[in-house]
Amino acid sequence: MIGFRRLALAALIPAAALSLGLSGALAQTPSPAPAASASPSPSPPASPSPAASASPAPAATPSPLPSPAASASPSPAAPPPAAAATPAPVQTADPFGQEITLEAKKVVMVKGTANWDSAFDTLVDAFKTLNALLDKQGIKHAGNAMIVYTSTDDTGFTFLAEIPVDQDPKNLTKDMSIGKSPEGKALKFVHRGSYDNMDNTYEAITNHLDDKKLEAKDTFIEEYLTDPLKTAEDKLVINVFVPLK
């Protein structure tokens, strides 16, 4: 592949002033005694004067109750604390160079060739051909569709489009066959986005192999986790497997 392909109140309480009523006591001045007469005259019999009836003290007038307006207004309730922001989920990093062991699967495959300018369209057409065959015979997929690159150069590549199945389809064309998918030790990488942007992924893969001093076989496998026939190209998720020597 061309260089292995084209990748954050405080509430105030007013103090009420209390006025104290002072009662002034009045001092009584005694009246002078009458002068004694020279000859005492018999004093008339004292007719008892009726006892002065004490006039009842006026009933105390109750203090008026404070009007609702005069009552202290209650302090406004403090607003509830803001809910803690839910932390964004942490995105787990995709595997990059994860060592795995591929297991062989029964697949129906079709051979094809493509140039880089129309590569994705050619691969989609190959998958359509296989799907048409399987749908006609009522055979379901037993796994994700795959592309196995068998050779590449500056202008294009040859490939096998493969779909895992549990039973053998019939009436295969001359470019079709039943076989097994690659198996053995490999490194797993993940690509997200369009097929055209896989250059960045393959460049990173090449750098990883160089840094680790690893030798890859002359085969590269792409497993389409999203259906390339129904998924927008920029939403593709593809596992890239690099078999090791």
Side-chain angles (χ1 to χ4, degrees):
M1 302 179 185
I2 304 176
F4 284 98
R5 302 248 320 129
R6 315 197 225 240
L7 197 212
L9 268 145
L12 299 178
I13 302 177
L18 301 178
S19 47
L20 301 175
L22 300 178
S23 305
L26 300 179
Q28 293 183 348
T29 305
S31 17
S37 78
S39 54
S41 56
S43 51
S47 50
S49 58
S53 60
S55 55
T61 305
S63 301
L65 294 173
S67 65
S71 302
S73 302
S75 304
T86 303
V90 178
Q91 174 93 28
T92 304
D94 289 320
F96 190 83
Q98 177 185 7
E99 295 185 9
I100 65 166
T101 299
L102 294 172
E103 295 183 359
K105 299 177 181 179
K106 179 191 291 186
V107 295
V108 56
M109 64 183 78
V110 60
K111 295 179 182 179
T113 60
N115 60 60
W116 293 117
D117 293 336
S118 58
F120 186 69
D121 291 337
T122 302
L123 300 182
V124 168
D125 287 341
F127 287 138
K128 286 180 178 178
T129 300
L130 291 174
N131 279 335
L133 174 74
L134 298 178
D135 289 345
K136 187 175 181 179
Q137 299 182 31
I139 299 175
K140 295 183 178 180
H141 294 203
N144 297 315
M146 294 179 286
I147 294 293
V148 179
Y149 295 89
T150 53
S151 67
T152 64
D153 57 31
D154 288 348
T155 59
F157 56 92
T158 61
F159 66 91
L160 294 172
E162 302 181 350
I163 294 179
V165 291
D166 288 330
Q167 63 186 95
D168 295 350
K170 301 175 182 178
N171 304 322
L172 303 181
T173 66
K174 64 178 181 178
D175 293 330
M176 294 183 183
S177 61
I178 303 294
K180 290 187 176 181
S181 62
E183 61 183 326
K185 293 183 179 180
L187 298 181
K188 176 182 177 181
F189 304 84
V190 179
H191 170 79
R192 294 179 182 272
S194 72
Y195 182 86
D196 289 340
N197 286 339
M198 288 188 73
D199 287 344
N200 295 332
T201 300
Y202 277 99
E203 183 178 358
I205 291 173
T206 304
N207 293 336
H208 181 80
L209 294 175
D210 290 343
D211 291 343
K212 300 295 184 181
K213 295 180 171 51
L214 299 172
E215 274 193 88
K217 292 182 179 179
D218 295 331
T219 301
F220 295 85
I221 305 150
E222 293 173 357
E223 178 190 21
Y224 287 73
L225 302 185
T226 52
D227 187 344
L229 305 185
K230 300 177 182 179
T231 307
E233 192 181 344
D234 61 345
K235 303 296 184 183
L236 293 173
V237 181
I238 305 170
N239 285 337
V240 180
F241 299 110
V242 180
L244 299 175
K245 288 184 178 179

